[in-house]
Amino acid sequence: MTEVNSPPRVGRWTRLVTARPRLSLLAALVLTLLAVLAGSGVADRLGAGGWEDPDAESTYATKALEREFPDSQPNLLLLVDAGDASVDDPAVAAEAKRLTARLAAEKDITGVGSYWSAASPALRAEDGHEALIAARITGDEKEMGETLDRVAPSLRGTHGPVKVEIGGIVAVRHEMQTIIQEDLTRAEMIALPITLLLLVMVFGSAIAALLPLGIGIVAILGTNAVLRGLTEFTDVSVFAMNLTTALGLGLAIDYALFIVRRFREELATGAEPLTAIGTTLRTAGRTVLFSALTVAVSLAAMLLFPQYFLRSFAYAGMAVVLLAAAAALILLPAALILLGHRVNSLDLRKLFGRGAPKRTEAQDGGTAWARTAALVMRRAPFFALGTTAVLVLLGLPFLGVKFGTADDRQLPASAESHVVQQHLRDGFPGSPGGGLEVLAEGRATPAQYASYKERIAALPEVMRVDGPLVKGDSAYFTVQPRGEAVDAGAQRLVGELRSTKAPFDTKVTGTAAVLVDSKHAIGDRLPWAAVFITIVTLLLVFLLTGSVLIPVQAVLLNALSLTAMFGAVVWVFQDGHLSGLLGFTSPGSIETTLPVLMFCVAFGLSMDYGVFLLSRMKEEYDRTGDHEEAVRHGLQRTGGLITAAAVILAVVMVAIGTSRVTNTKMLGLGIALAVLMDAMIVRSLLVPAVMRLTGRATWWAPAPLRRFHERFGLSEGEAEPPRAATGDDVPAEENGEGMADASGDLRTIRRTSGGT
């Protein structure tokens, strides 16, 4: 039988991370400096594409055309503006031919052609004042960007009677990459000082506030090194820099906030620093580890999709989440053991005459969060139905979602490549550069080619058919749709072309074909991703709570918390509301992969906050067996913490959302909204209301599952008998092993005591 006053043993993990705290921090400093060196130049190695399915028909056809007909795939366009003159004016034509010849003489550029050499109506604006020079830059994405940087300065600008602007897919992606790098630096400069200010407001102590920020900075620098390493093995999207930086900073601060808060609570009970660290790691530390696993699982679901845009977020995101958790569980305890009670130093509240409170928020039974919990549980049906109705209503605009591809309209209206592409949409016949290509493979006669061309020309969505251009046993046709490159008509045309019979094998590619294939790939794998996230989430939450009902509630309520985000994405970014205020051009659609990405990230973050709340509820329920008190206690202990963490993460995401690239803006602002709705509506109102309605059945599990949980389960606290009344309801550290050791033993050591 354990004596009440017997000194608690320190867990193995606590001994490990606090044995040589100065050495640990010195090693961390060295590793951080190495990460700075390893991560330098990472942005130059990231790609701006990755939306296509590598196994799709359109991808095969594109690669075959690049191989057999490299000149058929122009990726660089020069918009030649003759001003008030006609493009057929002799002086204009002469200067345009000189520019065409200069471009053709450049290294790594092939397939140079122009309106003046081909006399194609598709390369001439309808008003006769603008025309195009088209070419193809060879090489990979990095090499194409370097070539563009080399040739663009001498081509851009005024040349005699004409003015030249540069566009094309290479220019769009290169400009997007440059802008994202600039915007990310600005976002970090915005987020860091605001985050520090918020942390000071949360902790009062400047020392305590600096600790989470320091862990966040380590995670950011580590993120860049992780991304740099990933580029050696796989393609990584440049957009991943934004999200992984946000997660690295946001989650590191969340985890550090949770650990520092619990450590200060333990110190307030009179515990010595080493004892406080042990209790903190066994409780909050376990929750942080569990939370990191849930976020990583949600991000891992993107590995099921073939597009490297999504897969790169999975690789980088999982690495960053684990990096943030490792920094919080290894470096932070070392810093806390060195600081001890000095963690409360530099109490800035004294500047305002408040001083340090005698009791912590967690110890105060009359806090606003406790009163909120009591109010919600008294009116549980009202809050449950009301919040659900509001969330569903906010999500209704998503029913009208239209999916499209990422194009130049992601860029600011003033971006040169956007200006060029907009001129093409507004002033040129059809959609130059947005047509469909039909690859024909297999030997055929001229008559067979002609007959096939007549059949596809007769399709209702076809404006014009050019070709075929024949090389050996291969040929290709260029099909110009009547409408825009990716509108509904162009997508129908893809299906019609693929179903048109031909005496040879045909493959269709082009912007609309890539979109059709991408939608098919996502739709085919989305159910599997949803099943994966659901099953693993159910298992993890069961391991945390030992309940059958709570995991189901967690999945349903988390999904419900995302409705406002998806509704806002469509209402704002697809329909264009607030586009002037937010400074973007609405393309009238949502890029196909973005909802998947936003769901996985936001669902993981919702689980992150759900774990914080449920772990404290479970701790209190194990201690008292009182369901309503457990719900009240959980919200009281974590309501302010979750709200503060959500606001800080939202600040980081809003800073990312200041980007001039629309997809990044959508990602940042959308996830910020989801995080705030989850913390302030779902965790504060809906969860306690639903748990009040389900009552003690919330914690029920059949006997076999109870035994399974007793053996393998994970919870923040350990059951113990009530202590002698001290006016402090914070559980003391039990006489048990601490945080899981290196072997990965995460089991909670549950004990009972027959007396004191």
Side-chain angles (χ1 to χ4, degrees), residues 80-92:
V80 180
D81 185 353
D84 294 332
S86 168
V87 293
D88 295 314
D89 183 274
V92 171

PDB file of all heavy atoms in Angstrom, residues 80-92:
ATOM      1  N   VAL A  80       2.870  40.044 -78.156  1.00  0.00           N
ATOM      2  CA  VAL A  80       3.409  41.187 -78.895  1.00  0.00           C
ATOM      3  C   VAL A  80       2.266  42.172 -79.133  1.00  0.00           C
ATOM      4  O   VAL A  80       1.298  41.861 -79.831  1.00  0.00           O
ATOM      5  CB  VAL A  80       4.035  40.743 -80.228  1.00  0.00           C
ATOM      6  CG1 VAL A  80       4.585  41.950 -80.976  1.00  0.00           C
ATOM      7  CG2 VAL A  80       5.134  39.713 -79.976  1.00  0.00           C
ATOM      8  N   ASP A  81       2.396  43.352 -78.533  1.00  0.00           N
ATOM      9  CA  ASP A  81       1.363  44.388 -78.616  1.00  0.00           C
ATOM     10  C   ASP A  81       1.838  45.482 -79.567  1.00  0.00           C
ATOM     11  O   ASP A  81       2.859  46.132 -79.328  1.00  0.00           O
ATOM     12  CB  ASP A  81       1.103  44.964 -77.231  1.00  0.00           C
ATOM     13  CG  ASP A  81      -0.051  45.955 -77.206  1.00  0.00           C
ATOM     14  OD1 ASP A  81      -0.565  46.307 -78.288  1.00  0.00           O
ATOM     15  OD2 ASP A  81      -0.427  46.388 -76.097  1.00  0.00           O
ATOM     16  N   ALA A  82       1.081  45.685 -80.642  1.00  0.00           N
ATOM     17  CA  ALA A  82       1.450  46.685 -81.649  1.00  0.00           C
ATOM     18  C   ALA A  82       0.839  48.044 -81.359  1.00  0.00           C
ATOM     19  O   ALA A  82       0.951  48.966 -82.188  1.00  0.00           O
ATOM     20  CB  ALA A  82       1.015  46.209 -83.034  1.00  0.00           C
ATOM     21  N   GLY A  83       0.200  48.203 -80.204  1.00  0.00           N
ATOM     22  CA  GLY A  83      -0.418  49.486 -79.876  1.00  0.00           C
ATOM     23  C   GLY A  83      -1.600  49.772 -80.780  1.00  0.00           C
ATOM     24  O   GLY A  83      -2.493  48.926 -80.947  1.00  0.00           O
ATOM     25  N   ASP A  84      -1.610  50.945 -81.393  1.00  0.00           N
ATOM     26  CA  ASP A  84      -2.707  51.313 -82.287  1.00  0.00           C
ATOM     27  C   ASP A  84      -2.541  50.732 -83.682  1.00  0.00           C
ATOM     28  O   ASP A  84      -3.469  50.779 -84.496  1.00  0.00           O
ATOM     29  CB  ASP A  84      -2.811  52.844 -82.392  1.00  0.00           C
ATOM     30  CG  ASP A  84      -3.213  53.467 -81.060  1.00  0.00           C
ATOM     31  OD1 ASP A  84      -3.904  52.776 -80.277  1.00  0.00           O
ATOM     32  OD2 ASP A  84      -2.822  54.617 -80.800  1.00  0.00           O
ATOM     33  N   ALA A  85      -1.360  50.197 -83.965  1.00  0.00           N
ATOM     34  CA  ALA A  85      -1.102  49.651 -85.301  1.00  0.00           C
ATOM     35  C   ALA A  85      -1.628  48.224 -85.401  1.00  0.00           C
ATOM     36  O   ALA A  85      -1.991  47.586 -84.406  1.00  0.00           O
ATOM     37  CB  ALA A  85       0.391  49.682 -85.599  1.00  0.00           C
ATOM     38  N   SER A  86      -1.645  47.700 -86.598  1.00  0.00           N
ATOM     39  CA  SER A  86      -2.045  46.318 -86.836  1.00  0.00           C
ATOM     40  C   SER A  86      -0.821  45.418 -86.739  1.00  0.00           C
ATOM     41  O   SER A  86       0.303  45.833 -87.041  1.00  0.00           O
ATOM     42  CB  SER A  86      -2.666  46.182 -88.226  1.00  0.00           C
ATOM     43  OG  SER A  86      -2.808  44.816 -88.589  1.00  0.00           O
ATOM     44  N   VAL A  87      -1.033  44.198 -86.320  1.00  0.00           N
ATOM     45  CA  VAL A  87       0.082  43.253 -86.261  1.00  0.00           C
ATOM     46  C   VAL A  87       0.585  42.901 -87.659  1.00  0.00           C
ATOM     47  O   VAL A  87       1.676  42.339 -87.811  1.00  0.00           O
ATOM     48  CB  VAL A  87      -0.328  41.965 -85.513  1.00  0.00           C
ATOM     49  CG1 VAL A  87      -0.596  42.258 -84.046  1.00  0.00           C
ATOM     50  CG2 VAL A  87      -1.526  41.295 -86.166  1.00  0.00           C
ATOM     51  N   ASP A  88      -0.208  43.244 -88.688  1.00  0.00           N
ATOM     52  CA  ASP A  88       0.224  42.978 -90.060  1.00  0.00           C
ATOM     53  C   ASP A  88       0.979  44.157 -90.660  1.00  0.00           C
ATOM     54  O   ASP A  88       1.424  44.080 -91.818  1.00  0.00           O
ATOM     55  CB  ASP A  88      -1.005  42.660 -90.933  1.00  0.00           C
ATOM     56  CG  ASP A  88      -1.695  41.374 -90.491  1.00  0.00           C
ATOM     57  OD1 ASP A  88      -0.971  40.382 -90.263  1.00  0.00           O
ATOM     58  OD2 ASP A  88      -2.931  41.369 -90.351  1.00  0.00           O
ATOM     59  N   ASP A  89       1.110  45.220 -89.906  1.00  0.00           N
ATOM     60  CA  ASP A  89       1.898  46.359 -90.373  1.00  0.00           C
ATOM     61  C   ASP A  89       3.327  45.890 -90.657  1.00  0.00           C
ATOM     62  O   ASP A  89       3.907  45.139 -89.877  1.00  0.00           O
ATOM     63  CB  ASP A  89       1.893  47.449 -89.299  1.00  0.00           C
ATOM     64  CG  ASP A  89       2.640  48.685 -89.739  1.00  0.00           C
ATOM     65  OD1 ASP A  89       3.871  48.705 -89.561  1.00  0.00           O
ATOM     66  OD2 ASP A  89       1.987  49.615 -90.237  1.00  0.00           O
ATOM     67  N   PRO A  90       3.945  46.317 -91.768  1.00  0.00           N
ATOM     68  CA  PRO A  90       5.290  45.830 -92.128  1.00  0.00           C
ATOM     69  C   PRO A  90       6.335  46.054 -91.044  1.00  0.00           C
ATOM     70  O   PRO A  90       7.158  45.173 -90.780  1.00  0.00           O
ATOM     71  CB  PRO A  90       5.615  46.629 -93.399  1.00  0.00           C
ATOM     72  CG  PRO A  90       4.284  46.946 -93.989  1.00  0.00           C
ATOM     73  CD  PRO A  90       3.353  47.161 -92.830  1.00  0.00           C
ATOM     74  N   ALA A  91       6.315  47.215 -90.378  1.00  0.00           N
ATOM     75  CA  ALA A  91       7.306  47.476 -89.335  1.00  0.00           C
ATOM     76  C   ALA A  91       7.094  46.557 -88.139  1.00  0.00           C
ATOM     77  O   ALA A  91       8.056  46.048 -87.536  1.00  0.00           O
ATOM     78  CB  ALA A  91       7.232  48.939 -88.903  1.00  0.00           C
ATOM     79  N   VAL A  92       5.827  46.352 -87.778  1.00  0.00           N
ATOM     80  CA  VAL A  92       5.513  45.448 -86.667  1.00  0.00           C
ATOM     81  C   VAL A  92       5.930  44.023 -87.018  1.00  0.00           C
ATOM     82  O   VAL A  92       6.559  43.311 -86.217  1.00  0.00           O
ATOM     83  CB  VAL A  92       4.008  45.511 -86.340  1.00  0.00           C
ATOM     84  CG1 VAL A  92       3.641  44.423 -85.335  1.00  0.00           C
ATOM     85  CG2 VAL A  92       3.639  46.885 -85.794  1.00  0.00           C
TER      86      VAL A  92
END
